[in-house]
Amino acid sequence: MVHFVGAGPGAEDLITLRGARYIETADAIIYAGSLVNPALLSRAKSGCEIFNSAEMTLEEVIAVMTAPQRAGAEIVRLHTGDSSIYGAVREQMELLDAAGVAYDVCPGVSSFCGAAASLRSEYTLPGISQTVILTRMEGRTPVPEAEEISSLAAHGATMVIFLSTGMLGELSRRLILGGYTENTPAAIVYKATWPDEKILRTTVGEMAEAARAAGIAKTALVTVGEFLGGIYDRSKLYDPVFTTEFRRGAE
Ligand code: SAH
């Protein structure tokens, strides 16, 4: 059985209990060495085989999972954050389906959640934004034209931009083209929840320079929007005069 496990954003105690148990009982672990905290591997039992997928092709990963000598073995495929976000898991699942190998998925804490925690921020504030857009700039992987940054920016919603720290000048230009202003708050979170985490609170207009000055060029998320500002409405749910299914509000 193959378990796709979300390793969490970085800190080794931000994996789920289930994910940690899968690691502890695994006969083989294939981990995304570029971003998964290697400290998680110290939970593996002795004799567990360890493979670093950063140095492997899709076919090599699948060959490890489907090797006849591992039939019946417990195999963990450890992905950074949650595997549903830029995890390249679908293609693995389809090859496992074709090979008749069973698998399941254990969710993880995505880095965008880790970043919100590090920022001590709430992405969805009443009166500010009720939508979070998770996206990226195109790199060697293209992005569909309809999802180009400036068209997503037109919503003025909270945006979390993955995989784009090397292109902040262009990102900033497109965000402004789409409707944010130079002064819209932005925060760059480098290695959220890792011991060497860095947070840069900046603006859409200045974020490229801020990252350059701090020497941040990868492993970061860019968060954008007025959720980082000081103004918002209080929630209805906890408003003393608001009646809910569970509570009668004061007149
Ligand atoms: N599946 C992962 C994302 C993988 S894509 C998740 O759910 O988080 C890799 C990108 O994620 C990186 O380029 C970076 O933009 C972001 N990322 C991953 N871990 C991060 C962390 N701890 N802090 C900031 N950004 C991170």
Side-chain angles (χ1 to χ4, degrees), residues 8-11 35 79-87 108-115 136 161-165 189-194 197 218-222:
L35 280 171
H79 282 277
T80 180
D82 183 80
S83 62
S84 70
I85 310 284
Y86 306 116
V109 178
S110 178
S111 59
F112 82 91
C113 300
R136 62 171 297 171
I161 301 129
F162 288 71
L163 293 161
S164 304
T165 325
V189 186
Y190 168 77
K191 292 189 83 176
T193 81
W194 288 76
E197 165 185 294
K218 60 174 203 169
T219 327
L221 288 172
V222 181

PDB file of all heavy atoms in Angstrom, residues 8-11 35 79-87 108-115 136 161-165 189-194 197 218-222, ligand 1:
ATOM      1  N   GLY A   8       3.424  18.644   5.886  1.00  0.00           N
ATOM      2  CA  GLY A   8       3.291  19.936   6.559  1.00  0.00           C
ATOM      3  C   GLY A   8       4.293  20.926   5.996  1.00  0.00           C
ATOM      4  O   GLY A   8       5.121  20.590   5.140  1.00  0.00           O
ATOM      5  N   PRO A   9       4.233  22.172   6.487  1.00  0.00           N
ATOM      6  CA  PRO A   9       4.998  23.253   5.868  1.00  0.00           C
ATOM      7  C   PRO A   9       6.488  23.259   6.200  1.00  0.00           C
ATOM      8  O   PRO A   9       7.266  23.914   5.515  1.00  0.00           O
ATOM      9  CB  PRO A   9       4.329  24.505   6.429  1.00  0.00           C
ATOM     10  CG  PRO A   9       3.723  24.078   7.726  1.00  0.00           C
ATOM     11  CD  PRO A   9       3.337  22.636   7.552  1.00  0.00           C
ATOM     12  N   GLY A  10       6.888  22.582   7.265  1.00  0.00           N
ATOM     13  CA  GLY A  10       8.312  22.637   7.613  1.00  0.00           C
ATOM     14  C   GLY A  10       8.577  22.097   9.000  1.00  0.00           C
ATOM     15  O   GLY A  10       9.201  21.057   9.148  1.00  0.00           O
ATOM     16  N   ALA A  11       8.069  22.786  10.012  1.00  0.00           N
ATOM     17  CA  ALA A  11       8.317  22.344  11.390  1.00  0.00           C
ATOM     18  C   ALA A  11       7.951  20.868  11.520  1.00  0.00           C
ATOM     19  O   ALA A  11       6.896  20.439  11.055  1.00  0.00           O
ATOM     20  CB  ALA A  11       7.501  23.178  12.368  1.00  0.00           C
ATOM     21  N   LEU A  35      12.052  20.175  -0.205  1.00  0.00           N
ATOM     22  CA  LEU A  35      11.282  20.991   0.738  1.00  0.00           C
ATOM     23  C   LEU A  35      10.833  20.280   2.014  1.00  0.00           C
ATOM     24  O   LEU A  35      10.493  20.934   2.989  1.00  0.00           O
ATOM     25  CB  LEU A  35      10.024  21.547   0.046  1.00  0.00           C
ATOM     26  CG  LEU A  35      10.233  22.778  -0.843  1.00  0.00           C
ATOM     27  CD1 LEU A  35       8.964  23.091  -1.624  1.00  0.00           C
ATOM     28  CD2 LEU A  35      10.630  23.997  -0.016  1.00  0.00           C
ATOM     29  N   HIS A  79       5.127  14.301   0.700  1.00  0.00           N
ATOM     30  CA  HIS A  79       5.110  15.554  -0.057  1.00  0.00           C
ATOM     31  C   HIS A  79       5.089  16.741   0.887  1.00  0.00           C
ATOM     32  O   HIS A  79       4.494  16.679   1.969  1.00  0.00           O
ATOM     33  CB  HIS A  79       3.858  15.610  -0.944  1.00  0.00           C
ATOM     34  CG  HIS A  79       3.972  14.793  -2.179  1.00  0.00           C
ATOM     35  ND1 HIS A  79       4.592  15.254  -3.317  1.00  0.00           N
ATOM     36  CD2 HIS A  79       3.563  13.535  -2.455  1.00  0.00           C
ATOM     37  CE1 HIS A  79       4.548  14.314  -4.243  1.00  0.00           C
ATOM     38  NE2 HIS A  79       3.937  13.259  -3.751  1.00  0.00           N
ATOM     39  N   THR A  80       5.661  17.860   0.452  1.00  0.00           N
ATOM     40  CA  THR A  80       5.650  19.042   1.299  1.00  0.00           C
ATOM     41  C   THR A  80       4.231  19.623   1.413  1.00  0.00           C
ATOM     42  O   THR A  80       3.426  19.510   0.488  1.00  0.00           O
ATOM     43  CB  THR A  80       6.634  20.105   0.754  1.00  0.00           C
ATOM     44  OG1 THR A  80       6.582  21.228   1.600  1.00  0.00           O
ATOM     45  CG2 THR A  80       6.267  20.544  -0.627  1.00  0.00           C
ATOM     46  N   GLY A  81       3.928  20.206   2.555  1.00  0.00           N
ATOM     47  CA  GLY A  81       2.623  20.843   2.759  1.00  0.00           C
ATOM     48  C   GLY A  81       1.514  19.824   2.629  1.00  0.00           C
ATOM     49  O   GLY A  81       1.533  18.769   3.267  1.00  0.00           O
ATOM     50  N   ASP A  82       0.555  20.133   1.770  1.00  0.00           N
ATOM     51  CA  ASP A  82      -0.494  19.183   1.404  1.00  0.00           C
ATOM     52  C   ASP A  82      -0.270  18.788  -0.053  1.00  0.00           C
ATOM     53  O   ASP A  82       0.036  19.636  -0.890  1.00  0.00           O
ATOM     54  CB  ASP A  82      -1.876  19.817   1.558  1.00  0.00           C
ATOM     55  CG  ASP A  82      -2.959  18.811   1.237  1.00  0.00           C
ATOM     56  OD1 ASP A  82      -3.274  17.985   2.110  1.00  0.00           O
ATOM     57  OD2 ASP A  82      -3.471  18.804   0.092  1.00  0.00           O
ATOM     58  N   SER A  83      -0.464  17.509  -0.340  1.00  0.00           N
ATOM     59  CA  SER A  83      -0.105  17.033  -1.680  1.00  0.00           C
ATOM     60  C   SER A  83      -1.059  17.526  -2.768  1.00  0.00           C
ATOM     61  O   SER A  83      -0.755  17.405  -3.948  1.00  0.00           O
ATOM     62  CB  SER A  83      -0.024  15.505  -1.698  1.00  0.00           C
ATOM     63  OG  SER A  83      -1.279  14.958  -1.391  1.00  0.00           O
ATOM     64  N   SER A  84      -2.194  18.099  -2.382  1.00  0.00           N
ATOM     65  CA  SER A  84      -3.142  18.546  -3.416  1.00  0.00           C
ATOM     66  C   SER A  84      -2.756  19.884  -4.033  1.00  0.00           C
ATOM     67  O   SER A  84      -3.378  20.329  -4.998  1.00  0.00           O
ATOM     68  CB  SER A  84      -4.561  18.643  -2.836  1.00  0.00           C
ATOM     69  OG  SER A  84      -4.649  19.723  -1.924  1.00  0.00           O
ATOM     70  N   ILE A  85      -1.766  20.553  -3.468  1.00  0.00           N
ATOM     71  CA  ILE A  85      -1.356  21.865  -3.993  1.00  0.00           C
ATOM     72  C   ILE A  85       0.030  21.719  -4.628  1.00  0.00           C
ATOM     73  O   ILE A  85       1.024  21.520  -3.914  1.00  0.00           O
ATOM     74  CB  ILE A  85      -1.276  22.923  -2.861  1.00  0.00           C
ATOM     75  CG1 ILE A  85      -2.539  22.950  -2.014  1.00  0.00           C
ATOM     76  CG2 ILE A  85      -0.951  24.300  -3.430  1.00  0.00           C
ATOM     77  CD1 ILE A  85      -3.723  23.609  -2.640  1.00  0.00           C
ATOM     78  N   TYR A  86       0.098  21.809  -5.948  1.00  0.00           N
ATOM     79  CA  TYR A  86       1.370  21.682  -6.691  1.00  0.00           C
ATOM     80  C   TYR A  86       2.158  20.442  -6.243  1.00  0.00           C
ATOM     81  O   TYR A  86       3.377  20.490  -6.116  1.00  0.00           O
ATOM     82  CB  TYR A  86       2.229  22.949  -6.532  1.00  0.00           C
ATOM     83  CG  TYR A  86       1.493  24.212  -6.922  1.00  0.00           C
ATOM     84  CD1 TYR A  86       1.230  25.205  -5.990  1.00  0.00           C
ATOM     85  CD2 TYR A  86       1.027  24.387  -8.219  1.00  0.00           C
ATOM     86  CE1 TYR A  86       0.526  26.352  -6.337  1.00  0.00           C
ATOM     87  CE2 TYR A  86       0.327  25.534  -8.571  1.00  0.00           C
ATOM     88  CZ  TYR A  86       0.088  26.505  -7.631  1.00  0.00           C
ATOM     89  OH  TYR A  86      -0.605  27.629  -7.968  1.00  0.00           O
ATOM     90  N   GLY A  87       1.439  19.355  -6.010  1.00  0.00           N
ATOM     91  CA  GLY A  87       2.089  18.164  -5.477  1.00  0.00           C
ATOM     92  C   GLY A  87       2.477  17.145  -6.536  1.00  0.00           C
ATOM     93  O   GLY A  87       3.209  16.201  -6.244  1.00  0.00           O
ATOM     94  N   GLY A 108      -2.092  17.168   4.639  1.00  0.00           N
ATOM     95  CA  GLY A 108      -1.081  17.850   5.459  1.00  0.00           C
ATOM     96  C   GLY A 108      -1.426  19.325   5.596  1.00  0.00           C
ATOM     97  O   GLY A 108      -2.331  19.830   4.927  1.00  0.00           O
ATOM     98  N   VAL A 109      -0.714  20.002   6.446  1.00  0.00           N
ATOM     99  CA  VAL A 109      -0.894  21.445   6.610  1.00  0.00           C
ATOM    100  C   VAL A 109      -0.152  22.136   5.466  1.00  0.00           C
ATOM    101  O   VAL A 109       1.075  22.047   5.385  1.00  0.00           O
ATOM    102  CB  VAL A 109      -0.306  21.931   7.951  1.00  0.00           C
ATOM    103  CG1 VAL A 109      -0.450  23.446   8.085  1.00  0.00           C
ATOM    104  CG2 VAL A 109      -0.963  21.210   9.119  1.00  0.00           C
ATOM    105  N   SER A 110      -0.882  22.767   4.583  1.00  0.00           N
ATOM    106  CA  SER A 110      -0.220  23.443   3.465  1.00  0.00           C
ATOM    107  C   SER A 110       0.578  24.648   3.956  1.00  0.00           C
ATOM    108  O   SER A 110       0.253  25.259   4.977  1.00  0.00           O
ATOM    109  CB  SER A 110      -1.262  23.900   2.450  1.00  0.00           C
ATOM    110  OG  SER A 110      -0.624  24.589   1.398  1.00  0.00           O
ATOM    111  N   SER A 111       1.579  25.019   3.178  1.00  0.00           N
ATOM    112  CA  SER A 111       2.404  26.166   3.581  1.00  0.00           C
ATOM    113  C   SER A 111       1.597  27.454   3.626  1.00  0.00           C
ATOM    114  O   SER A 111       1.946  28.369   4.372  1.00  0.00           O
ATOM    115  CB  SER A 111       3.611  26.315   2.654  1.00  0.00           C
ATOM    116  OG  SER A 111       3.202  26.492   1.322  1.00  0.00           O
ATOM    117  N   PHE A 112       0.490  27.536   2.859  1.00  0.00           N
ATOM    118  CA  PHE A 112      -0.269  28.789   2.941  1.00  0.00           C
ATOM    119  C   PHE A 112      -0.942  28.918   4.306  1.00  0.00           C
ATOM    120  O   PHE A 112      -1.123  30.034   4.803  1.00  0.00           O
ATOM    121  CB  PHE A 112      -1.247  28.942   1.762  1.00  0.00           C
ATOM    122  CG  PHE A 112      -2.554  28.221   1.874  1.00  0.00           C
ATOM    123  CD1 PHE A 112      -3.664  28.847   2.428  1.00  0.00           C
ATOM    124  CD2 PHE A 112      -2.687  26.923   1.401  1.00  0.00           C
ATOM    125  CE1 PHE A 112      -4.883  28.182   2.502  1.00  0.00           C
ATOM    126  CE2 PHE A 112      -3.890  26.256   1.474  1.00  0.00           C
ATOM    127  CZ  PHE A 112      -4.997  26.889   2.039  1.00  0.00           C
ATOM    128  N   CYS A 113      -1.263  27.786   4.934  1.00  0.00           N
ATOM    129  CA  CYS A 113      -1.795  27.829   6.307  1.00  0.00           C
ATOM    130  C   CYS A 113      -0.658  28.134   7.295  1.00  0.00           C
ATOM    131  O   CYS A 113      -0.838  28.904   8.242  1.00  0.00           O
ATOM    132  CB  CYS A 113      -2.469  26.514   6.660  1.00  0.00           C
ATOM    133  SG  CYS A 113      -3.839  26.126   5.568  1.00  0.00           S
ATOM    134  N   GLY A 114       0.493  27.528   7.049  1.00  0.00           N
ATOM    135  CA  GLY A 114       1.657  27.825   7.892  1.00  0.00           C
ATOM    136  C   GLY A 114       2.010  29.305   7.843  1.00  0.00           C
ATOM    137  O   GLY A 114       2.335  29.920   8.866  1.00  0.00           O
ATOM    138  N   ALA A 115       1.912  29.884   6.647  1.00  0.00           N
ATOM    139  CA  ALA A 115       2.257  31.311   6.494  1.00  0.00           C
ATOM    140  C   ALA A 115       1.263  32.191   7.245  1.00  0.00           C
ATOM    141  O   ALA A 115       1.658  33.163   7.903  1.00  0.00           O
ATOM    142  CB  ALA A 115       2.292  31.682   5.012  1.00  0.00           C
ATOM    143  N   ARG A 136       0.058  30.948  -8.870  1.00  0.00           N
ATOM    144  CA  ARG A 136       1.497  31.061  -9.120  1.00  0.00           C
ATOM    145  C   ARG A 136       1.706  31.851 -10.401  1.00  0.00           C
ATOM    146  O   ARG A 136       0.804  31.980 -11.222  1.00  0.00           O
ATOM    147  CB  ARG A 136       2.107  29.674  -9.290  1.00  0.00           C
ATOM    148  CG  ARG A 136       1.526  28.931 -10.487  1.00  0.00           C
ATOM    149  CD  ARG A 136       2.261  27.649 -10.809  1.00  0.00           C
ATOM    150  NE  ARG A 136       3.636  27.939 -11.191  1.00  0.00           N
ATOM    151  CZ  ARG A 136       4.574  27.010 -11.365  1.00  0.00           C
ATOM    152  NH1 ARG A 136       4.264  25.728 -11.183  1.00  0.00           N
ATOM    153  NH2 ARG A 136       5.790  27.338 -11.717  1.00  0.00           N
ATOM    154  N   ILE A 161       0.573  33.556  -3.388  1.00  0.00           N
ATOM    155  CA  ILE A 161       1.246  33.192  -4.624  1.00  0.00           C
ATOM    156  C   ILE A 161       2.436  32.290  -4.311  1.00  0.00           C
ATOM    157  O   ILE A 161       3.353  32.661  -3.590  1.00  0.00           O
ATOM    158  CB  ILE A 161       1.654  34.462  -5.393  1.00  0.00           C
ATOM    159  CG1 ILE A 161       0.379  35.285  -5.678  1.00  0.00           C
ATOM    160  CG2 ILE A 161       2.347  34.112  -6.702  1.00  0.00           C
ATOM    161  CD1 ILE A 161       0.443  36.692  -5.282  1.00  0.00           C
ATOM    162  N   PHE A 162       2.349  31.081  -4.839  1.00  0.00           N
ATOM    163  CA  PHE A 162       3.381  30.055  -4.669  1.00  0.00           C
ATOM    164  C   PHE A 162       4.420  30.188  -5.786  1.00  0.00           C
ATOM    165  O   PHE A 162       4.140  30.750  -6.854  1.00  0.00           O
ATOM    166  CB  PHE A 162       2.757  28.652  -4.786  1.00  0.00           C
ATOM    167  CG  PHE A 162       1.905  28.215  -3.629  1.00  0.00           C
ATOM    168  CD1 PHE A 162       0.663  28.783  -3.388  1.00  0.00           C
ATOM    169  CD2 PHE A 162       2.333  27.199  -2.780  1.00  0.00           C
ATOM    170  CE1 PHE A 162      -0.129  28.364  -2.330  1.00  0.00           C
ATOM    171  CE2 PHE A 162       1.548  26.759  -1.719  1.00  0.00           C
ATOM    172  CZ  PHE A 162       0.318  27.353  -1.498  1.00  0.00           C
ATOM    173  N   LEU A 163       5.566  29.591  -5.595  1.00  0.00           N
ATOM    174  CA  LEU A 163       6.515  29.273  -6.671  1.00  0.00           C
ATOM    175  C   LEU A 163       6.914  30.469  -7.522  1.00  0.00           C
ATOM    176  O   LEU A 163       7.207  30.313  -8.702  1.00  0.00           O
ATOM    177  CB  LEU A 163       5.871  28.207  -7.594  1.00  0.00           C
ATOM    178  CG  LEU A 163       5.643  26.828  -6.980  1.00  0.00           C
ATOM    179  CD1 LEU A 163       4.616  26.043  -7.783  1.00  0.00           C
ATOM    180  CD2 LEU A 163       6.953  26.049  -6.926  1.00  0.00           C
ATOM    181  N   SER A 164       6.909  31.656  -6.952  1.00  0.00           N
ATOM    182  CA  SER A 164       7.099  32.854  -7.773  1.00  0.00           C
ATOM    183  C   SER A 164       8.103  33.837  -7.189  1.00  0.00           C
ATOM    184  O   SER A 164       8.204  34.964  -7.675  1.00  0.00           O
ATOM    185  CB  SER A 164       5.741  33.560  -7.969  1.00  0.00           C
ATOM    186  OG  SER A 164       4.798  32.674  -8.528  1.00  0.00           O
ATOM    187  N   THR A 165       8.831  33.435  -6.160  1.00  0.00           N
ATOM    188  CA  THR A 165       9.691  34.392  -5.454  1.00  0.00           C
ATOM    189  C   THR A 165      10.818  34.911  -6.344  1.00  0.00           C
ATOM    190  O   THR A 165      11.356  35.980  -6.086  1.00  0.00           O
ATOM    191  CB  THR A 165      10.278  33.745  -4.181  1.00  0.00           C
ATOM    192  OG1 THR A 165       9.302  32.880  -3.639  1.00  0.00           O
ATOM    193  CG2 THR A 165      10.620  34.791  -3.153  1.00  0.00           C
ATOM    194  N   VAL A 189       6.606  35.401   3.105  1.00  0.00           N
ATOM    195  CA  VAL A 189       6.974  34.510   4.209  1.00  0.00           C
ATOM    196  C   VAL A 189       7.932  33.457   3.661  1.00  0.00           C
ATOM    197  O   VAL A 189       7.565  32.622   2.831  1.00  0.00           O
ATOM    198  CB  VAL A 189       5.743  33.837   4.845  1.00  0.00           C
ATOM    199  CG1 VAL A 189       6.164  33.043   6.069  1.00  0.00           C
ATOM    200  CG2 VAL A 189       4.698  34.875   5.219  1.00  0.00           C
ATOM    201  N   TYR A 190       9.162  33.536   4.129  1.00  0.00           N
ATOM    202  CA  TYR A 190      10.209  32.607   3.704  1.00  0.00           C
ATOM    203  C   TYR A 190      10.279  31.464   4.710  1.00  0.00           C
ATOM    204  O   TYR A 190      10.347  31.694   5.922  1.00  0.00           O
ATOM    205  CB  TYR A 190      11.550  33.353   3.652  1.00  0.00           C
ATOM    206  CG  TYR A 190      12.780  32.477   3.496  1.00  0.00           C
ATOM    207  CD1 TYR A 190      13.113  31.935   2.262  1.00  0.00           C
ATOM    208  CD2 TYR A 190      13.607  32.220   4.585  1.00  0.00           C
ATOM    209  CE1 TYR A 190      14.242  31.146   2.118  1.00  0.00           C
ATOM    210  CE2 TYR A 190      14.742  31.422   4.441  1.00  0.00           C
ATOM    211  CZ  TYR A 190      15.049  30.886   3.209  1.00  0.00           C
ATOM    212  OH  TYR A 190      16.158  30.102   3.069  1.00  0.00           O
ATOM    213  N   LYS A 191      10.201  30.248   4.214  1.00  0.00           N
ATOM    214  CA  LYS A 191      10.306  29.038   5.049  1.00  0.00           C
ATOM    215  C   LYS A 191       9.418  29.110   6.293  1.00  0.00           C
ATOM    216  O   LYS A 191       9.873  28.930   7.441  1.00  0.00           O
ATOM    217  CB  LYS A 191      11.772  28.755   5.413  1.00  0.00           C
ATOM    218  CG  LYS A 191      12.597  28.352   4.181  1.00  0.00           C
ATOM    219  CD  LYS A 191      13.978  27.872   4.529  1.00  0.00           C
ATOM    220  CE  LYS A 191      13.977  26.415   4.934  1.00  0.00           C
ATOM    221  NZ  LYS A 191      15.357  25.911   5.181  1.00  0.00           N
ATOM    222  N   ALA A 192       8.140  29.361   6.031  1.00  0.00           N
ATOM    223  CA  ALA A 192       7.157  29.428   7.114  1.00  0.00           C
ATOM    224  C   ALA A 192       7.261  28.199   8.009  1.00  0.00           C
ATOM    225  O   ALA A 192       7.329  27.068   7.506  1.00  0.00           O
ATOM    226  CB  ALA A 192       5.742  29.496   6.527  1.00  0.00           C
ATOM    227  N   THR A 193       7.316  28.412   9.295  1.00  0.00           N
ATOM    228  CA  THR A 193       7.348  27.403  10.372  1.00  0.00           C
ATOM    229  C   THR A 193       8.692  26.679  10.517  1.00  0.00           C
ATOM    230  O   THR A 193       8.851  25.852  11.400  1.00  0.00           O
ATOM    231  CB  THR A 193       6.205  26.357  10.304  1.00  0.00           C
ATOM    232  OG1 THR A 193       6.531  25.327   9.356  1.00  0.00           O
ATOM    233  CG2 THR A 193       4.853  26.965   9.981  1.00  0.00           C
ATOM    234  N   TRP A 194       9.660  26.957   9.632  1.00  0.00           N
ATOM    235  CA  TRP A 194      11.010  26.400   9.812  1.00  0.00           C
ATOM    236  C   TRP A 194      11.755  27.255  10.841  1.00  0.00           C
ATOM    237  O   TRP A 194      11.417  28.425  11.041  1.00  0.00           O
ATOM    238  CB  TRP A 194      11.796  26.428   8.501  1.00  0.00           C
ATOM    239  CG  TRP A 194      11.381  25.449   7.444  1.00  0.00           C
ATOM    240  CD1 TRP A 194      10.282  25.550   6.631  1.00  0.00           C
ATOM    241  CD2 TRP A 194      12.054  24.247   7.055  1.00  0.00           C
ATOM    242  NE1 TRP A 194      10.238  24.481   5.762  1.00  0.00           N
ATOM    243  CE2 TRP A 194      11.306  23.676   5.999  1.00  0.00           C
ATOM    244  CE3 TRP A 194      13.211  23.605   7.483  1.00  0.00           C
ATOM    245  CZ2 TRP A 194      11.677  22.479   5.370  1.00  0.00           C
ATOM    246  CZ3 TRP A 194      13.583  22.422   6.855  1.00  0.00           C
ATOM    247  CH2 TRP A 194      12.826  21.864   5.819  1.00  0.00           C
ATOM    248  N   GLU A 197      12.748  30.672   9.465  1.00  0.00           N
ATOM    249  CA  GLU A 197      11.673  31.463   8.851  1.00  0.00           C
ATOM    250  C   GLU A 197      12.006  32.964   8.861  1.00  0.00           C
ATOM    251  O   GLU A 197      12.598  33.465   9.812  1.00  0.00           O
ATOM    252  CB  GLU A 197      10.393  31.225   9.673  1.00  0.00           C
ATOM    253  CG  GLU A 197       9.293  32.229   9.405  1.00  0.00           C
ATOM    254  CD  GLU A 197       8.104  32.008  10.333  1.00  0.00           C
ATOM    255  OE1 GLU A 197       7.451  30.971  10.226  1.00  0.00           O
ATOM    256  OE2 GLU A 197       7.846  32.902  11.177  1.00  0.00           O
ATOM    257  N   LYS A 218      13.791  32.165  -2.986  1.00  0.00           N
ATOM    258  CA  LYS A 218      13.001  30.938  -3.169  1.00  0.00           C
ATOM    259  C   LYS A 218      12.402  30.487  -1.837  1.00  0.00           C
ATOM    260  O   LYS A 218      12.627  31.128  -0.811  1.00  0.00           O
ATOM    261  CB  LYS A 218      13.843  29.830  -3.798  1.00  0.00           C
ATOM    262  CG  LYS A 218      15.047  29.433  -2.977  1.00  0.00           C
ATOM    263  CD  LYS A 218      15.723  28.228  -3.625  1.00  0.00           C
ATOM    264  CE  LYS A 218      16.538  27.472  -2.611  1.00  0.00           C
ATOM    265  NZ  LYS A 218      17.019  26.193  -3.050  1.00  0.00           N
ATOM    266  N   THR A 219      11.634  29.392  -1.896  1.00  0.00           N
ATOM    267  CA  THR A 219      10.980  28.809  -0.709  1.00  0.00           C
ATOM    268  C   THR A 219      10.200  29.849   0.081  1.00  0.00           C
ATOM    269  O   THR A 219      10.291  29.923   1.308  1.00  0.00           O
ATOM    270  CB  THR A 219      11.993  28.101   0.214  1.00  0.00           C
ATOM    271  OG1 THR A 219      13.025  27.542  -0.582  1.00  0.00           O
ATOM    272  CG2 THR A 219      11.312  26.991   1.002  1.00  0.00           C
ATOM    273  N   ALA A 220       9.449  30.659  -0.634  1.00  0.00           N
ATOM    274  CA  ALA A 220       8.649  31.675   0.052  1.00  0.00           C
ATOM    275  C   ALA A 220       7.270  31.760  -0.584  1.00  0.00           C
ATOM    276  O   ALA A 220       7.079  31.360  -1.734  1.00  0.00           O
ATOM    277  CB  ALA A 220       9.340  33.028  -0.023  1.00  0.00           C
ATOM    278  N   LEU A 221       6.353  32.261   0.180  1.00  0.00           N
ATOM    279  CA  LEU A 221       5.022  32.570  -0.326  1.00  0.00           C
ATOM    280  C   LEU A 221       4.857  34.072  -0.303  1.00  0.00           C
ATOM    281  O   LEU A 221       5.336  34.744   0.621  1.00  0.00           O
ATOM    282  CB  LEU A 221       3.949  31.955   0.575  1.00  0.00           C
ATOM    283  CG  LEU A 221       3.805  30.440   0.505  1.00  0.00           C
ATOM    284  CD1 LEU A 221       2.849  29.968   1.587  1.00  0.00           C
ATOM    285  CD2 LEU A 221       3.302  30.019  -0.866  1.00  0.00           C
ATOM    286  N   VAL A 222       4.152  34.571  -1.311  1.00  0.00           N
ATOM    287  CA  VAL A 222       3.813  35.990  -1.330  1.00  0.00           C
ATOM    288  C   VAL A 222       2.329  36.091  -1.013  1.00  0.00           C
ATOM    289  O   VAL A 222       1.506  35.459  -1.683  1.00  0.00           O
ATOM    290  CB  VAL A 222       4.092  36.598  -2.725  1.00  0.00           C
ATOM    291  CG1 VAL A 222       3.753  38.086  -2.716  1.00  0.00           C
ATOM    292  CG2 VAL A 222       5.534  36.361  -3.126  1.00  0.00           C
TER     293      VAL A 222
HETATM  294  N1  SAH B   1       2.307  21.250  -1.563  1.00  0.00           N
HETATM  295  C1  SAH B   1       2.997  22.402  -1.019  1.00  0.00           C
HETATM  296  C2  SAH B   1       3.426  23.387  -2.100  1.00  0.00           C
HETATM  297  C3  SAH B   1       4.480  22.836  -3.023  1.00  0.00           C
HETATM  298  S1  SAH B   1       4.983  23.961  -4.238  1.00  0.00           S
HETATM  299  C4  SAH B   1       2.114  23.063   0.041  1.00  0.00           C
HETATM  300  O1  SAH B   1       0.977  22.635   0.248  1.00  0.00           O
HETATM  301  O2  SAH B   1       2.589  23.996   0.697  1.00  0.00           O
HETATM  302  C5  SAH B   1       6.444  24.622  -3.527  1.00  0.00           C
HETATM  303  C6  SAH B   1       6.239  26.078  -3.164  1.00  0.00           C
HETATM  304  O3  SAH B   1       5.467  26.138  -1.981  1.00  0.00           O
HETATM  305  C7  SAH B   1       7.497  26.839  -2.840  1.00  0.00           C
HETATM  306  O4  SAH B   1       8.083  27.368  -4.010  1.00  0.00           O
HETATM  307  C8  SAH B   1       6.971  27.953  -1.987  1.00  0.00           C
HETATM  308  O5  SAH B   1       6.340  28.939  -2.755  1.00  0.00           O
HETATM  309  C9  SAH B   1       5.887  27.226  -1.206  1.00  0.00           C
HETATM  310  N2  SAH B   1       6.347  26.711   0.087  1.00  0.00           N
HETATM  311  C10 SAH B   1       6.453  25.437   0.490  1.00  0.00           C
HETATM  312  N3  SAH B   1       6.815  25.362   1.783  1.00  0.00           N
HETATM  313  C11 SAH B   1       6.934  26.645   2.211  1.00  0.00           C
HETATM  314  C12 SAH B   1       7.226  27.244   3.477  1.00  0.00           C
HETATM  315  N4  SAH B   1       7.474  26.521   4.559  1.00  0.00           N
HETATM  316  N5  SAH B   1       7.242  28.590   3.540  1.00  0.00           N
HETATM  317  C13 SAH B   1       6.959  29.351   2.475  1.00  0.00           C
HETATM  318  N6  SAH B   1       6.663  28.843   1.269  1.00  0.00           N
HETATM  319  C14 SAH B   1       6.635  27.511   1.130  1.00  0.00           C
END
